[in-house]
Each structure stands twice: as structure tokens, then as C-alpha cells.
Amino acid sequence: MITVVLPIYNEEHGLQAFCLECLEVLRQTDKPFELLLVNDGSTDDTLKIIRQLSSSTQEVKYIDLSRNFGHQIAISAGIDNAQGDWVVLMDSDGQDPPSEILNLLREAEKGYDVVYAKRKSRGQEGLMKRLTAKWFYRLLNKITSVPIPMDVGDFRIINQKVVKALRRMPEKQRYLRGQIAWLGFKQSHIEYDRRSRAEGDTKYTYRKMIRLALDGITSFSNWPLRLATITGFFCAFIGLLLIIYTLYSRFVLHDYEPGWASLMITLVFIGGIQLIGIGVIGEYIGRINENVKSRPMYLINESNLEDAHD
Ligand code: UDP
Ligand code: MG
């Protein structure tokens, strides 16, 4: 069986057409399938549309989360409740073309555990989005020890081995493309042209994007902490030179002035560096805190699955 997991947040305008397109494609495979819609606390009529779809088509299953938990957690909820031996992860806004599911499946059946879809082109996405994404992927790759494929979103197919492994990763900060890279197994990829969003605007605000980026970095790299230490050493070294110079000009050259300007500059500079260091440590501690609290990652409000669990 194939499960297609669709995270959905306020997609009332394009959802119906997109689901029908998915169903059409899935019927072309000879396998049984289910379309698992995860409503991530939508505030529009998305849930109504989902209920209608699921009552008219028995292959449509859904989970309604108790509030907006974010894209990555919505996908995780789908993975936790998927029944297929193959699970496809894709966006529900029409950017990931359903016809590629067949290509993913074909490649996977050659004997791979993960086949991810690499974007050849990104449709009509803003320059800002494309540039920040590009830089981010390259930075992340430089500072992590697991190679996370570049220009790859969550669009992919994974098998039971990977699904089971992901269910055993309880971390609260989800960065699935990194987690799946970390798992290993046999991975391959196909290339595809990303379409433009069918209806509405991006649901990834800059805030959500920054959060995802920070989760990706902190989950897979301690480099920012190391950088804080290195900067500290560097500043301490400069400070040492300054001390020597000050003592020299005071006692040897007897040339000393009130020196307010230089004092202020160093003070502000060192103060800034220290705050950055504390901030970096804070980012990590905050994440440790979230994990230590061990609250459930998400809560389910309603579902048409018999044994939906959070
Ligand atoms: N999404 C979600 N929860 C959120 C934000 C987005 O489930 O808090 C879903 C959204 O409905 C879409 C997918 O995640 O199916 C990707 O979001 P979007 O297309 O807005 O992001 P972009 O493609 O612009 O990066
Ligand atoms: Mg999109």
C-alpha cells in the first residue's frame, strides 16, 4: 500500500482540485493506496473540504490537529499514522506535481529505501526565497557532519524501514530532510520541475522559515557554539595585545591620554560579542528545554482513522 501524506494549512481554494489530481495518479498504480490529509489547524474552510473529500472517497483519510503546529510536525503526524509500506511526502499547494509520484515509486522499486525529488527549477518563487534557500542549503552543508542533499525539499518516497526509524526519533525540532539524511539506508533521487503554487500565498512566513533554518542548524551542527568559542579566543587575543600596548605607552612612552574613545569602542565590541555568544548558547538551551519537557509533539482533534494516535 502507498500512503501519500499531505500537510495542509489554509488551502481551501486549491485543495479539492489537488486531491483529485493525486487520486487520479494513484489510481494508475496497481497498488492499494490512501491519501492521508493532515489539517494543521487551518482557520479557513479547509477542514470542511477535507471532511467532504473523505466521505465521498474511501481512500481519503484525515487527521485534524488541535492547532497549527507547523509544516514539519504536520508531516510527522502523517508519518506516525501512515499505514502504507511506501509513504510519499509532498506539499498540498500544488507545487509538487503528483505525476512525479509514479517516477519516485519506479525509482524506489529498483531497491532504494528513500528516493527524494530534487528541484531542477522552482516555479514562480520570489528572488528572496530562492536566494535565501540557496545560501542556507550551502551553509548548512558546510557546517553539518551528515551531508544533507541540496535544493531538496520534503518531496520524497520512503519505505517502512525509514518510517519506523523516524517514529523512533522523538526530537521536538523536526527537520525531516536532515533526519532522513542522518538515517542513512539506501538513497537515490530523481529530478523534477517544481510548479508554482496553485492558489493563495505561501504559508511559510519569514518567521517560520527562520525557525526551520535554526532548527536545521541546531539539530545537525554544534558549529555555532564552536564559532562563539573561537570568536571569544580571538577577542581575548586582541585584548591581550591592547593591554601590552597600553602598559607600554603608559610606562615607557609616558604617553597617556584620558582614552575614553578607545575604552568605549572595546567595551561595546566585547559586550556585543559576549551577547552573541550567550544568544547562541540560549538557542541550544531553549531546544534542550523543549525536549526535556517531553510534551507530545502534536495533538489530534479528530480523525477518520480507527486508531489515530499522537
Ligand atoms: N503548511 C502546513 N503548516 C504550516 C505551513 C504550511 O501544513 O504551518 C503546509 C502548506 O499547506 C503546504 C506546505 O506545508 O502544503 C508547504 O507550505 P508552503 O507552500 O506555504 O511553503 P513554500 O512552498 O512557500 O515554501
Ligand atoms: Mg509551496
Side-chain angles (χ1 to χ4, degrees):
M1 177 146 115
I2 309 175
T3 302
V4 175
V5 171
L6 297 180
I8 307 163
Y9 179 56
N10 291 350
E11 306 279 6
E12 61 178 357
H13 296 298
L15 187 63
Q16 169 110 17
F18 183 70
C19 287
L20 295 180
E21 196 185 342
C22 284
L23 290 170
E24 183 100 347
V25 169
L26 286 167
R27 291 203 179 98
Q28 292 170 33
T29 65
D30 47 2
K31 294 185 171 37
F33 61 85
E34 64 174 358
L35 198 58
L36 181 51
L37 310 179
V38 184
N39 180 31
D40 187 16
S42 299
T43 50
D44 61 2
D45 278 337
T46 297
L47 183 60
K48 241 196 206 152
I49 295 168
I50 292 178
R51 285 206 199 104
Q52 274 164 15
L53 275 165
S54 71
S55 60
S56 63
T57 316
Q58 67 165 33
E59 286 98 345
V60 175
K61 304 283 183 330
Y62 74 93
I63 298 172
D64 176 42
L65 301 185
S66 63
R67 65 172 170 86
N68 179 245
F69 282 93
H71 177 221
Q72 296 286 311
I73 292 184
I75 305 179
S76 304
I79 293 174
D80 287 347
N81 288 282
Q83 300 173 52
D85 344 278
W86 290 107
V87 177
V88 175
L89 312 179
M90 68 194 296
D91 287 355
S92 60
D93 61 347
Q95 287 201 279
D96 302 330
S99 55
E100 296 293 339
I101 295 175
L102 301 177
N103 297 335
L104 285 172
L105 192 63
R106 200 171 308 131
E107 180 72 13
E109 282 181 333
K110 290 180 189 164
Y112 294 104
D113 302 302
V114 178
V115 179
Y116 52 87
K118 200 174 163 84
R119 306 185 266 243
K120 264 195 295 188
S121 63
R122 297 188 60 128
Q124 277 163 353
E125 286 184 310
L127 183 69
M128 211 32 203
K129 175 125 196 176
R130 281 190 312 224
L131 279 183
T132 46
K134 192 169 168 178
W135 291 332
F136 171 68
Y137 285 127
R138 272 142 195 90
L139 168 76
L140 188 62
N141 234 281
K142 284 230 151 56
I143 62 176
T144 51
S145 42
V146 267
I148 301 172
M150 283 191 235
D151 304 318
V152 171
D154 291 305
F155 189 18
R156 60 189 64 211
I157 191 166
I158 55 181
N159 69 6
Q160 268 297 310
K161 269 193 253 176
V162 178
V163 167
K164 282 196 183 128
L166 284 174
R167 287 178 187 159
R168 283 174 51 200
M169 292 174 103
E171 58 224 65
K172 297 292 179 306
Q173 294 80 34
R174 309 302 281 186
Y175 188 68
L176 284 162
R177 48 201 100 155
Q179 289 173 250
I180 293 174
W182 180 89
L183 288 176
F185 294 119
K186 248 181 118 189
Q187 311 213 0
S188 174
H189 74 274
I190 61 164
E191 295 199 340
Y192 80 112
D193 290 303
R194 194 160 160 86
R195 299 193 301 205
S196 301
R197 183 173 243 290
E199 300 282 343
D201 278 328
T202 176
K203 303 297 177 300
Y204 254 96
T205 53
Y206 277 108
R207 221 173 105 186
K208 282 185 178 167
M209 251 167 65
I210 291 170
R211 171 140 203 139
L212 179 70
L214 285 180
D215 282 346
I217 292 174
T218 50
S219 297
F220 291 94
S221 172
N222 284 330
W223 178 82
L225 290 170
R226 200 162 309 141
L227 185 70
T229 316
I230 293 170
T231 319
F233 273 112
F234 179 73
C235 289
F237 179 69
I238 304 257
L240 185 70
L241 294 185
L242 274 171
I243 290 172
I244 294 171
Y245 170 75
T246 314
L247 292 177
Y248 179 75
S249 58
R250 168 69 181 79
F251 291 110
V252 181
L253 305 177
H254 298 288
D255 161 29
Y256 58 100
E257 293 175 51
W260 185 80
S262 56
L263 202 67
M264 279 311 278
I265 291 169
T266 14
L267 211 68
V268 171
F269 179 66
I270 301 284
I273 298 278
Q274 281 174 338
L275 281 182
I276 293 173
I278 294 173
V280 171
I281 297 170
E283 289 290 332
Y284 282 86
I285 294 183
R287 283 170 173 78
I288 296 172
N289 185 32
E290 266 176 53
N291 283 293
V292 168
K293 279 188 289 195
S294 58
R295 291 181 184 161
M297 198 180 343
Y298 56 88
L299 290 166
I300 294 177
N301 176 44
E302 63 168 75
S303 169
N304 65 345
L305 287 168
E306 271 155 35
D307 51 355
H309 58 89
D310 26 49

